[in-house]
Amino acid sequence: MKKEGTIFKNLDGFVLVTTFFFLWFAISFGDSVEDIVAYFLILTFGILHGANDLKLIQTSNSNAKKKSSFLKVSSYYVFFILICASLFYFLPSLALLTFVLFSGYHFGEQHWSSKFKRRSKATLWFYSSYGLIVLSLLFVSHTIEVNTVIENITGHYIEPNFFSYLLFFNIGLFAILYLLLKKNRSLESNWIREIFYLVVFLVVFKTASLLWSFAIYFILWHSLPSLVDQIKFLYGGITRKNIILYLKTSLIYWAISVIGLLVLFLFFGRDSNTFIAFFFSFLAAITFPHVLVMTRLNK
């Protein structure tokens, strides 16, 4: 148990140090190299952190004394993914907007859930505003590239000023909610450290390419802490044996996801802008059910 505590204590430090290493990588290498490494990290750690949802659902049902067969759970899960994927074909604008909102909430929940003493209705808005600050920083730092992705998915162009308005609105909302939650003693955190993290994100986003910027945040600040939480929930602690067990139970879903992305690359890889649009659409389709699973576990 002592060793496990040391791992968790040093996780934030490891993430921060690795972030600066990745920042150096962005300065030292071109966008093409960054993008290759970014795809690799997203295909491994990124998709892996959402590849054990079925096991998490079954475990949570077992803890709640609700028995659900693997076939039943997997059928519902796959059906939900297909619905989400079809939204990007029939209602791309709505699907993309929903994806951004879901992602904002999910990023905020992962970062802040362990810092809450008690939760309230304001928690949802607090999570969402923080996650949308991170996403807005990314959008403001790569307005042209982000607009290219949006146009390829929805056919619509977003005025650059909109991203700035989105950023300032969520900063204001987050600041108000933060002060209220701290006043009510619902939240434990160091506001100086949290502002420092946001400044680090901005520096990274301004320095790295769009895909590399997304990968740095998505892998180091979201997926890695999520993997730690999931392994702890499923198996009780972070050990070599438990990591291997996690990899075994997530292998099939991870392989299916990677194969699906490779097929997309074969069809659209020659047009990088089109492929990135399909790439984020694919990530969105598998993100929706994952967000719901993790929200359920956190509750």
Side-chain angles (χ1 to χ4, degrees):
M1 294 299 295
K2 185 177 180 181
K3 185 177 181 180
E4 179 185 330
T6 302
I7 292 174
F8 285 115
K9 183 179 180 180
N10 293 333
L11 181 61
D12 288 346
F14 171 79
V15 168
L16 189 60
V17 170
T18 309
T19 298
F20 284 113
F21 171 75
F22 282 179
L23 182 61
W24 167 83
F25 187 89
I27 297 172
S28 303
F29 296 91
D31 289 356
S32 58
V33 177
E34 293 176 28
D35 290 349
I36 291 173
V37 179
Y39 281 127
F40 172 77
L41 292 175
I42 293 172
L43 288 175
T44 51
F45 291 99
I47 292 181
L48 182 65
H49 98 281
N52 230 340
D53 287 350
L54 299 178
K55 178 69 174 178
L56 291 169
I57 293 172
Q58 284 194 304
T59 302
S60 63
N61 284 345
S62 177
N63 292 343
K65 298 181 180 179
K66 297 178 182 179
K67 294 183 179 180
S68 300
S69 67
F70 179 80
L71 181 61
K72 180 180 179 180
V73 171
S74 58
S75 298
Y76 284 140
Y77 193 85
V78 172
F79 180 69
F80 190 65
I81 290 178
L82 292 175
I83 291 177
C84 295
S86 64
L87 282 176
F88 275 92
Y89 182 79
F90 294 106
L91 298 169
S93 298
L94 176 62
L96 184 60
L97 175 62
T98 306
F99 171 57
V100 171
L101 295 176
F102 264 60
S103 298
Y105 171 81
H106 186 48
F107 290 160
E109 182 183 42
Q110 174 61 47
H111 185 81
W112 288 97
S113 60
S114 62
K115 300 176 178 65
F116 270 87
K117 292 181 179 180
R118 58 182 180 274
R119 306 187 186 193
S120 63
K121 294 181 180 179
T123 306
L124 182 148
W125 298 103
F126 182 79
Y127 289 160
S128 299
S129 61
Y130 179 82
L132 289 174
I133 288 174
V134 175
L135 289 174
S136 297
L137 288 174
L138 180 64
F139 297 160
V140 168
S141 301
H142 298 279
T143 303
I144 297 175
E145 297 93 329
V146 169
N147 245 326
T148 300
V149 173
I150 293 174
E151 282 191 278
N152 283 329
I153 294 176
T154 67
H156 298 295
Y157 176 83
I158 305 297
E159 289 296 329
N161 289 337
F162 173 79
F163 300 126
S164 299
Y165 298 149
L166 182 66
L167 174 61
F168 292 130
F169 172 80
N170 282 288
I171 288 176
L173 178 60
F174 176 78
I176 293 172
L177 292 174
Y178 183 89
L179 293 174
L180 290 175
L181 291 168
K182 289 287 284 187
K183 183 179 180 181
N184 295 333
R185 298 182 179 180
S186 301
L187 183 66
E188 283 187 347
S189 70
N190 185 323
W191 66 270
I192 297 178
R193 181 176 57 198
E194 297 301 334
I195 292 178
F196 171 71
Y197 287 161
L198 291 174
V199 172
V200 170
F201 298 158
L202 179 60
V203 172
V204 170
F205 296 163
K206 285 289 187 179
T207 305
S209 66
L210 172 61
L211 194 60
W212 188 229
S213 297
F214 174 76
I216 291 174
Y217 179 80
F218 183 57
I219 301 303
L220 294 179
W221 294 88
H222 176 71
S223 298
L224 186 58
S226 180
L227 282 168
V228 170
D229 290 344
Q230 291 177 45
I231 295 173
K232 186 177 179 181
F233 173 78
L234 290 173
Y235 306 111
I238 305 300
T239 64
R240 181 181 298 180
K241 177 182 177 181
N242 292 343
I243 292 173
I244 293 174
L245 286 173
Y246 184 92
L247 293 175
K248 285 182 177 180
T249 55
S250 61
L251 182 60
I252 295 177
Y253 182 72
W254 174 82
I256 292 173
S257 301
V258 171
I259 291 172
L261 281 173
L262 290 176
V263 170
L264 285 178
F265 179 77
L266 291 176
F267 280 97
F268 304 104
R270 294 180 181 179
D271 187 343
S272 59
N273 290 329
T274 302
F275 176 69
I276 290 177
F278 275 97
F279 181 74
F280 281 109
S281 299
F282 184 89
L283 288 180
I286 61 178
T287 293
F288 286 128
H290 173 69
V291 172
L292 298 177
V293 170
M294 296 308 297
T295 298
R296 177 181 178 181
L297 294 184
N298 283 319
K299 289 182 179 179

